[in-house]
Amino acid sequence: MARDYAARCPVSLVRNTWLVATAILLASQGFGAQKVRVEEELEAYPTESVDLRCEFIDGGGRTKLTQVSWIWEPIDGQRDNIAVYHPLYGQSFPNLSFKDRVVFLHNSLENPSIRISNLKMSDAGRYTCEYATYPSGNEQGTTTLVMLAKPKNSAKVVTAQAGTKSVVVAQCEAADGKPAATIKWLASVGGNHSTSTTDGPDGTVTVRSEYRLVPTPADNGREVTCMVDQRTQERPWVHSVKLSVEYPPSVSIEGYDNNWYVGRSDAVLLCMANGNPEPTTVTWTAASGALPDTVVVSGNKLTVRKVDDAVNTTFICEVKNKHGASSHQITTIVIEALEDPSSAGVVAGAVIGSLLALLLVVALIAVLLTRSRRQQRRGYPSSGDSIATGSGGSNCGDYGNKARLLFSGTGNNSSKNGTGANNNGPIYTYREGCDATGTLTEKANDYHHHHLHHPSIGNPPSAHDILLSGEIDEAERRKFDLDDSMEEEYDRFGSIGGGGNMLPPAYHVHRGHGGEEEMDVYLDDDMESQRDGSVISRTAIYV
């Protein structure tokens, strides 16, 4: 029980509990018995110091102490005195292995405790404090010294070549430890491990573990973790390593976009290699022979300065490392340029110019159409009409689309000034249109017969007779008054006809107080639209 307690506690605590261990030992032998009090077990580390306590307990006070000795037993059957104390002769250290490393803490037979400095792993063993007494003889107590050693932990990767056999890819070691360490592996790769131990001359133990797997290129760079657990460590030691798997290179060519047209500049191909170790050599060749003159090579980069028919070939890239070589090829096809990129600006300018010209033509046509419609509304002939022949060169009348109101005097009764024998006939208006014979048709005016005096229906009145009629009301007379602003327009219209059959405007007769007749020019601007799109005046008079 005392041994288990010492194993669980730090060395410093064990050293302070030697009285407890001794009391337990005395209890096992009974009260009042003679006993040498010591610690059952101690733990220590190399280069440190340890105190071996010893005390003689005399229950009755009848025992006479003569001498005390410390005896070291490194192994069973071997006993060596390392320290002796005698009241008269003093101290003695007969074993040269402990010379200058062992001292008595007290010059007393009752308390002959010693201190061992600069411990070595070989100092481990059993240490017995033995008394020579009288009359009972020799009395003794034994302490076991356990030497502990922290292992020197390490982990490393072992470079392997990709293949089909299981090989060592990582190692983990806990060297010169005491007691022996335990090693575990944590890994995501599908491998296994094996462990071996080696005993040292001073009682230490070295533990080695190897991790194995069948390496592939995909395992390169993956991690495995070594975990070491040992008594002297407060927590497990953990270390990760990345696997190093070497393999021949693999290669591919990138950069070709299937658009190598004649005249293209700086077309690039890249030779992409993957290998461990990195490829040391990259070589570009062409299936047709030597590389074309327009090709420039820099490492894994091939640049075509100017694309022409010479690069219409197959390019080959080869890479090498210490484990082998690999190559890849690509066939480039040179096509004709669809257009010269430098003329793009010219083409764009031409297109824009054409659009602007088209817009200008459309605007001009719109203006001309608008002007033509305005002229038609004012009674002018259009550009395709003639005053003499009418619209489109038709011979339907003298004034084409601009037919005028006609007050006609017919027969022999017509007078020189336009008055006839019958002044009360109906009013006629000539409207545009032809009959089957090409003759201008006529239609009776909207004026009703009751507006005029018509003594004789057989002879239509002349314009002069109608103007002299007193039955025209004031509103109708006002329509014949010529506005000053219309005179210029009327003159223009008269000039267009060239003065051919165009007659001067009719006169409106005003009767003065003296019986004299006063003639005024009149012109009505009341235009009438026809079904064929033409416009005529209701009041214009033609003779």
Side-chain angles (χ1 to χ4, degrees):
M1 180 177 179
R3 179 183 297 272
D4 294 340
Y5 177 80
R8 292 194 302 270
C9 297
V11 175
S12 60
L13 293 178
V14 174
R15 292 173 179 173
N16 295 329
T17 59
W18 68 279
L19 292 176
V20 177
T22 303
I24 295 173
L25 186 57
L26 290 175
S28 65
Q29 295 179 356
F31 265 125
Q34 297 178 357
K35 180 59 182 174
V36 177
R37 184 169 59 186
V38 296
E39 296 173 290
E40 184 176 0
E41 183 178 284
L42 293 175
E43 294 178 349
Y45 295 92
T47 71
E48 293 184 352
S49 299
V50 64
D51 292 346
L52 302 179
R53 302 178 185 277
C54 181
E55 185 176 2
F56 186 83
I57 303 300
D58 186 1
R62 296 187 297 259
T63 303
K64 184 179 180 180
L65 301 177
T66 304
Q67 172 179 295
V68 63
S69 300
W70 282 94
I71 301 172
W72 173 49
E73 299 180 43
I75 58 175
D76 292 339
Q78 181 180 346
R79 292 171 59 91
D80 294 327
N81 285 333
I82 61 172
V84 178
Y85 178 76
H86 190 275
L88 297 179
Y89 301 109
Q91 302 174 1
S92 175
F93 305 99
N95 193 316
L96 297 179
S97 297
F98 291 89
K99 186 178 181 179
D100 300 330
R101 295 195 299 128
V102 178
V103 296
F104 282 97
L105 298 178
H106 308 283
N107 289 327
S108 169
L109 288 176
E110 290 76 11
N111 189 2
S113 300
I114 62 173
R115 174 174 293 167
I116 303 175
S117 302
N118 195 18
L119 289 171
K120 301 176 181 179
M121 291 301 299
S122 58
D123 293 339
R126 293 188 298 175
Y127 290 83
T128 301
C129 179
E130 185 176 271
Y131 279 93
T133 67
Y134 179 83
S136 61
N138 292 339
E139 296 287 345
Q140 64 182 20
T142 301
T143 299
T144 300
L145 176 62
V146 177
M147 292 300 298
L148 300 177
K150 293 182 179 180
K152 302 177 182 66
N153 301 321
S154 63
K156 65 180 181 179
V157 64
V158 178
T159 300
Q161 185 175 354
T164 59
K165 295 182 179 179
S166 178
V167 295
V168 176
V169 294
Q171 290 180 340
C172 188
E173 183 179 82
D176 301 328
K178 190 176 180 180
T182 58
I183 297 178
K184 296 179 180 179
W185 288 93
L186 302 175
S188 60
V189 295
N192 53 65
H193 68 279
S194 60
T195 303
S196 61
T197 60
T198 302
D199 295 331
D202 53 0
T204 59
V205 179
T206 297
V207 182
R208 294 183 179 89
S209 181
E210 295 177 338
Y211 194 85
R212 295 173 174 269
L213 58 77
V214 178
T216 65
D219 295 325
N220 185 50
R222 292 185 176 179
E223 287 189 352
V224 293
T225 302
C226 173
M227 183 173 64
V228 178
D229 192 9
Q230 204 256 0
R231 179 178 176 180
T232 62
Q233 298 175 167
E234 294 182 0
R235 62 182 60 86
W237 179 85
V238 178
H239 187 74
S240 298
V241 295
K242 290 185 176 182
L243 301 182
S244 176
V245 179
E246 295 185 346
Y247 51 91
S250 60
V251 62
S252 63
I253 298 177
E254 298 179 359
Y256 182 60
D257 57 2
N258 295 302
N259 191 30
W260 282 24
Y261 54 85
V262 175
R264 177 177 174 176
S265 60
D266 294 335
V268 175
L269 296 179
L270 295 176
C271 184
M272 309 302 293
N274 179 27
N276 188 26
E278 290 293 331
T280 56
T281 303
V282 179
T283 304
W284 285 94
T285 57
S288 58
L291 292 174
D293 295 336
T294 58
V295 171
V296 177
V297 173
S298 177
N300 70 327
K301 182 179 180 181
L302 182 147
T303 304
V304 179
R305 295 301 185 189
K306 200 72 172 180
V307 175
D308 55 16
D309 291 337
V311 296
N312 195 22
T313 184
T314 298
F315 291 100
I316 303 171
C317 176
E318 183 181 52
V319 296
K320 296 180 180 180
N321 67 5
K322 68 178 183 179
H323 294 293
S326 181
S327 64
H328 186 254
Q329 65 183 27
I330 188 170
T331 300
T332 56
I333 300 175
V334 178
I335 60 178
E336 294 295 332
L338 297 180
E339 64 177 11
D340 186 1
S342 62
S343 63
V346 177
V347 173
V351 172
I352 295 174
S354 300
L355 292 176
L356 293 177
L358 181 60
L359 291 176
L360 183 59
V361 170
V362 171
L364 182 59
I365 292 175
V367 170
L368 293 176
L369 290 176
T370 303
R371 181 177 179 183
S372 176
R373 290 177 181 177
R374 289 178 180 176
Q375 289 176 351
Q376 290 178 2
R377 292 192 187 102
R378 293 176 181 178
Y380 298 149
S382 62
S383 60
D385 300 336
S386 74
I387 299 288
T389 63
S391 176
S394 174
N395 294 325
C396 294
D398 292 338
Y399 296 96
N401 291 336
K402 310 302 184 294
R404 301 294 184 176
L405 178 65
L406 177 62
F407 296 92
S408 174
T410 61
N412 298 326
N413 296 328
S414 297
S415 64
K416 181 178 180 180
N417 58 2
T419 61
N422 192 347
N423 296 331
N424 296 322
I427 298 173
Y428 293 89
T429 57
Y430 287 83
R431 301 189 183 275
E432 182 177 333
C434 298
D435 56 13
T437 62
T439 305
L440 186 67
T441 61
E442 63 180 19
K443 183 179 181 180
N445 197 351
D446 293 335
Y447 293 107
H448 298 289
H449 288 243
H450 67 272
H451 288 163
L452 302 173
H453 295 283
H454 42 87
S456 176
I457 301 176
N459 296 322
S462 66
H464 181 70
D465 294 335
I466 295 174
L467 293 176
L468 295 177
S469 175
E471 296 183 7
I472 299 177
D473 57 13
E474 188 65 22
E476 294 298 330
R477 294 177 184 273
R478 192 177 297 111
K479 295 177 63 176
F480 292 95
D481 292 337
L482 178 63
D483 194 323
D484 293 340
S485 62
M486 296 298 294
E487 291 180 0
E488 180 180 356
E489 187 74 17
Y490 187 81
D491 293 341
R492 283 179 53 200
F493 183 78
S495 64
I496 293 176
N501 294 328
M502 181 66 75
L503 295 179
Y507 293 94
H508 188 180
V509 179
H510 293 274
R511 293 192 173 124
H513 295 284
E516 295 180 357
E517 296 181 352
E518 181 181 355
M519 307 297 291
D520 291 334
V521 180
Y522 71 93
L523 179 63
D524 190 2
D525 60 352
D526 185 11
M527 308 302 290
E528 179 177 358
S529 299
Q530 302 301 301
R531 292 184 179 179
D532 60 356
S534 63
V535 181
I536 66 173
S537 174
R538 293 182 177 180
T539 59
I541 299 173
Y542 294 85
V543 178

